[in-house]
Amino acid sequence: MASVHKEFDIHATPEQVWDAVSDFGAVHERLGPGLVTDARLDADTRTVTFANGTVVVERLIDLDPVSRRIAYSIVGGSLHSSHHHASMQALPGKDGGTLVVWHTDVLPEALTVPIAEFVEQASAVMRRTLEAGGSQEPGGSELAP
């Protein structure tokens, strides 16, 4: 199994970051505007559309406000993974900021590079969005998981 692991700092409080991360149905507005163009929530499942047209269906696995951790899995869509499980955690960071820890396990292994590229770009979009205090103007992107 292949894994992608990313840690990055955001100059916003863990509470602010967790508020956005935990809003499972609003990823397109609160975390990845421009990179994610739409998200539709149906119970514990969201359908996410990316700027390049990729669509994934993700199921919420865990939403833990005490540890500020969310876990989700891709269960459908155009990515065609045989296994996908990701988690993101908002931990206290430097100077009152937040350390975000994002981990993804995926099969087939061939998806590791595109997912790593997506995580890198998504991390930058999340940082800009959350440090600005909310949604940014859509910037579009060709990358998707």
Side-chain angles (χ1 to χ4, degrees), residues 38-61:
D38 190 40
R40 299 187 187 266
L41 188 61
D42 181 18
D44 67 348
T45 304
R46 69 182 175 192
T47 301
V48 180
T49 303
F50 295 89
N52 72 349
T54 298
V55 175
V56 295
V57 180
E58 299 173 330
R59 177 165 296 132
L60 180 64
I61 304 296

Side-chain angles (χ1 to χ4, degrees), residues 24-109:
F24 191 64
V27 65
H28 61 304
E29 297 168 337
R30 306 215 39 212
L31 291 179
L35 183 63
V36 179
T37 59
D38 190 40
R40 299 187 187 266
L41 188 61
D42 181 18
D44 67 348
T45 304
R46 69 182 175 192
T47 301
V48 180
T49 303
F50 295 89
N52 72 349
T54 298
V55 175
V56 295
V57 180
E58 299 173 330
R59 177 165 296 132
L60 180 64
I61 304 296
D62 186 37
L63 190 64
D64 182 350
V66 174
S67 65
R68 294 188 196 102
R69 180 183 174 273
I70 187 171
Y72 59 95
S73 181
I74 293 178
V75 295
S78 58
L79 187 58
H80 304 296
S81 59
S82 60
H83 175 83
H84 175 282
H85 181 271
S87 65
M88 186 178 293
Q89 192 167 13
L91 301 170
K94 299 180 265 185
D95 302 321
T98 302
L99 173 66
V100 175
V101 177
W102 191 357
H103 189 87
T104 304
D105 294 321
V106 65
L107 286 173
E109 202 165 317

Side-chain angles (χ1 to χ4, degrees), residues 88-135:
M88 186 178 293
Q89 192 167 13
L91 301 170
K94 299 180 265 185
D95 302 321
T98 302
L99 173 66
V100 175
V101 177
W102 191 357
H103 189 87
T104 304
D105 294 321
V106 65
L107 286 173
E109 202 165 317
L111 290 174
T112 305
V113 170
I115 286 182
E117 290 171 351
F118 168 77
V119 165
E120 194 65 35
Q121 184 169 15
S123 299
V125 171
M126 288 172 52
R127 181 183 297 115
R128 282 193 308 269
T129 301
L130 293 170
E131 288 179 353
S135 298

